[in-house]
Amino acid sequence: MKKILILIATFSVLLSCDEGFEDLNVNPNAATSLDPGPKFTANLLFTAGDRFENWRANIIYSSYMIQHMANPSGLGAGDRYLYNAQWSGAWFERGYNDHVKGIEDIINQLEADDTGQFPDEMLAIARIWRVFVYHKITDLYGDVPYSEAGKGFSDGIFKPVYDPQSEIYADMLNELGEATAALPDGTSQFGSADVLFDGDQGKWRRFGYSMMLRLGLRLIKVDAAAAQQWAQRAIDGGVMGSNDDIAYMRHTNGPEGINRNGNGQVFQADDSMRMSDTFVNALSSTSDPRLRIYAALPDGDGDRNTSGSNDPALQVGLPNGLDGTTVQNIPGGDNLDNFSEPNRNLITGEDDPYFFQSYAEVEFMLAEANIRWGIGTDAAAHYAAGVEAAMRQLDLYTVGDQSITDTEIQDYLTANPYDAPNGLVQVNTQYWIVTFLNHIEAYANWRRTGIPALTPNNYPGNESNGEIPRRLRYFEREQTTNADNYQAVLSRQGADQFFTRMWWDVQ
């Protein structure tokens, strides 16, 4: 693994976390004859993101809006629904500059191969990953460049149109349908360059169908019939079956920044974030053993590598929507060390895993499909399997003797059994919990379901009319560099504001 990551530096120009960016349409790999394997390694790592986009889109906005965390400092714009152009547009900027360009280049190379050097399964895997790349971008912003994106080098398209999200979703689901069907069992020629699944085609197929389930359920408010059809197709195809199928990036401490966990890089730079009282209270009220892994009190010495006590009885969450002045008005607000932070002893390392999609998430979606339509198997069984998987996946961090035991899992399920009349709330609340640190996904699923019930704040001067924002605003440079297409998308989707709803997020 480390050897593979080191090889990335031999061909990829890695960008500094917080410096300026190259033109979005420059070819990411000048040597077009490069083997697609190392390029795929790089693209998987780039899509996990480094400090720049994870700090801004995943933490500053998504984590605070979804009330996983809170932050009264100037870095808490998302906590108070304030607009910062560079922060709001960060995933768009970095997404097209790194994530999209890289995967489009790989697909172009594989599609152009007429020698048989690269088998069809490599293209199928790349197509599945392409869907993952784009779905995070469109779920944050709505209508985005898709059909013409990443084609500056290949087709000379430097000002791509913004495609309607309805068309993007239709194509992404179709891509998943075709690509998964093209993947048998066996080992891909990507081999160890595939740092997600080590070339296991069966795992890629199950990941593709699991993504189909995720995207299919996104349609629940706009087209329930289509949501059911895609959910059924995903289940019939075969989704993740255990924690062995989890799609996650295994990071290292170097040698380059992109090899490090992007969230972990943020925690090394910022000690102002605290656990939201919404999140802490949700776990403490159910005696959830995950609380001791997720949260701990600051140790008070200013060391960003360690936290203090993780005794669940001592954890105190910080209310959302406060600033440096108003936080003084709450009990303990004179010292932020009175409030829990993400546990720096266990889950904030630069070499910690970065989750793209977990088996536990899939189990909760299977439960929802059964609740809504009676498809698949018993929702109660999926709920229990999801809870168990969610607790066991924390062992992918280095948790040592803090690992959740079998007895604790069973005690939790006994104390918090599946309750059919409240089933949708239960499974989607669990989805919200398991996607802690994957805040962008938690944010998307909350907008889809409205679960859990979150109380917005109406901070003075907020940009969303006192409601939790429904999207992020586009990368500001688009207003000048792609002005015609930018104006066209506003006339179709609506104002480029936090309160504008995207296609699948209808009221």
Side-chain angles (χ1 to χ4, degrees):
M1 174 69 180
K2 291 184 178 179
K3 181 179 179 181
I4 293 170
L5 302 187
I6 292 170
L7 287 174
I8 295 172
T10 67
F11 72 91
S12 178
V13 179
L14 297 173
L15 302 174
S16 175
C17 294
D18 299 313
E19 295 177 356
F21 298 93
E22 311 224 345
D23 186 273
L24 299 187
N25 295 292
V26 174
N27 180 27
N29 303 297
T32 57
S33 61
L34 282 171
D35 184 276
K39 292 197 290 185
F40 191 53
T41 305
N43 192 247
L44 292 170
L45 283 161
F46 274 121
T47 304
D50 77 17
R51 189 173 88 173
F52 183 88
E53 65 265 47
N54 275 295
W55 198 347
R56 291 151 176 80
N58 192 46
I59 292 181
I60 286 178
Y61 277 110
S62 297
S63 80
Y64 302 143
M65 293 189 300
I66 204 63
Q67 296 178 19
H68 278 158
M69 297 197 288
N71 192 334
S73 81
L75 293 172
D79 203 5
R80 297 181 291 280
Y81 318 150
L82 303 177
Y83 174 58
N84 178 291
Q86 292 302 311
W87 298 351
S88 177
W91 203 275
F92 190 104
E93 178 182 11
R94 199 46 91 76
Y96 285 102
N97 191 51
D98 289 340
H99 317 167
V100 167
K101 279 199 310 181
I103 193 59
E104 292 289 359
D105 172 70
I106 291 166
I107 287 177
N108 286 340
Q109 180 179 1
L110 294 175
E111 287 181 335
D113 174 45
D114 57 5
T115 66
Q117 180 181 3
F118 307 121
D120 291 343
E121 44 83 4
M122 296 179 74
L123 178 58
I125 288 172
R127 290 171 71 185
I128 291 172
W129 190 246
R130 179 179 180 271
V131 169
F132 184 87
V133 168
Y134 279 106
H135 103 279
K136 291 193 75 170
I137 299 173
T138 186
D139 285 349
L140 278 174
Y141 299 99
D143 295 1
V144 294
Y146 181 76
S147 60
E148 295 182 352
K151 299 187 184 303
F153 176 77
S154 62
D155 296 356
I157 299 174
F158 299 106
K159 297 180 179 180
V161 299
Y162 285 63
D163 297 280
Q165 191 179 58
S166 58
E167 296 178 7
I168 295 171
Y169 257 74
D171 190 72
M172 289 193 301
L173 285 163
N174 181 67
E175 284 287 285
L176 290 174
E178 292 182 0
T180 49
L183 279 177
D185 290 325
T187 302
S188 164
Q189 188 168 301
F190 276 124
S192 60
D194 166 17
V195 290
L196 207 57
F197 294 124
D198 295 317
D200 189 320
Q201 294 176 200
K203 289 186 177 183
W204 272 103
R205 185 179 64 248
R206 292 188 288 277
F207 176 46
Y209 280 119
S210 299
M211 282 298 300
M212 182 185 292
L213 182 60
R214 175 189 280 184
L215 300 190
L217 285 176
R218 285 281 203 273
L219 309 182
I220 192 65
K221 292 199 291 187
V222 70
D223 191 340
Q228 179 179 353
Q229 291 169 1
W230 283 109
Q232 183 70 68
R233 184 170 175 181
I235 293 168
D236 291 344
V239 293
M240 293 180 184
S242 74
N243 276 355
D244 288 340
D245 289 332
I246 294 175
Y248 73 101
M249 181 58 63
R250 295 160 286 181
H251 285 285
T252 69
N253 279 322
E256 300 291 346
I258 198 61
N259 297 326
R260 299 182 174 96
N261 183 302
N263 290 329
Q265 294 177 61
V266 176
F267 290 118
Q268 285 296 308
D270 181 9
D271 60 2
S272 63
M273 67 274 288
R274 293 294 182 266
M275 303 294 285
S276 169
D277 65 344
T278 306
F279 192 70
V280 170
N281 293 344
L283 272 63
S284 61
S285 65
T286 59
S287 299
D288 193 320
R290 286 172 288 189
L291 184 57
R292 70 168 181 262
I293 295 178
Y294 284 141
L297 291 171
D299 60 13
D301 67 0
D303 184 351
R304 291 175 178 159
N305 293 310
T306 59
S307 291
S309 174
N310 67 337
D311 181 347
L314 301 179
Q315 303 313 309
V316 179
L318 182 70
N320 292 90
L322 302 174
D323 60 25
T325 299
T326 57
V327 72
Q328 305 288 326
N329 300 326
I330 67 171
D334 59 328
N335 185 354
L336 285 183
D337 286 348
N338 292 323
F339 301 94
S340 304
E341 65 182 356
N343 191 337
R344 292 176 178 271
N345 300 327
L346 300 178
I347 63 168
T348 66
E350 293 183 335
D351 57 352
D352 280 335
Y354 186 102
F355 294 96
F356 296 117
Q357 188 178 37
S358 69
Y359 163 61
E361 295 170 47
V362 172
E363 284 289 353
F364 297 133
M365 290 188 289
L366 291 173
E368 178 173 345
N370 184 258
I371 293 167
R372 289 187 182 277
W373 304 301
I375 62 178
T377 53
D378 182 53
H382 287 304
Y383 164 78
V387 168
E388 180 175 358
M391 293 186 180
R392 293 195 188 283
Q393 83 177 44
L394 294 175
D395 287 339
L396 292 173
Y397 295 97
T398 306
V399 296
D401 61 4
Q402 298 298 306
S403 178
I404 297 171
T405 66
D406 293 348
T407 299
E408 288 178 306
I409 294 172
Q410 291 309 310
D411 287 348
Y412 179 86
L413 289 171
T414 298
N416 303 277
Y418 178 72
D419 175 32
N422 196 41
L424 282 178
V425 171
Q426 276 190 303
V427 298
N428 281 290
T429 298
Q430 290 293 332
Y431 197 101
W432 173 69
I433 294 172
V434 77
T435 49
F436 181 76
L437 293 182
N438 186 4
H439 310 293
I440 291 174
E441 176 56 26
Y443 177 44
N445 197 65
W446 177 81
R447 284 174 290 152
R448 179 182 75 84
T449 64
I451 302 169
L454 302 177
T455 301
N457 63 78
N458 196 11
Y459 185 82
N462 75 84
E463 297 280 341
S464 59
N465 300 322
E467 298 297 327
I468 297 173
R470 309 308 297 193
R471 62 183 290 274
L472 296 186
R473 293 172 62 175
Y474 296 120
F475 179 38
E476 194 174 44
R477 194 185 299 170
E478 287 288 285
Q479 297 176 28
T480 54
T481 61
N482 196 11
D484 290 344
N485 290 317
Y486 175 80
Q487 292 300 324
V489 74
L490 301 191
S491 66
R492 181 178 64 238
Q493 178 172 262
D496 187 12
Q497 298 292 340
F498 284 163
F499 52 76
T500 298
R501 288 176 179 252
M502 58 188 63
W503 168 75
W504 58 253
D505 185 28
V506 295
Q507 289 180 297

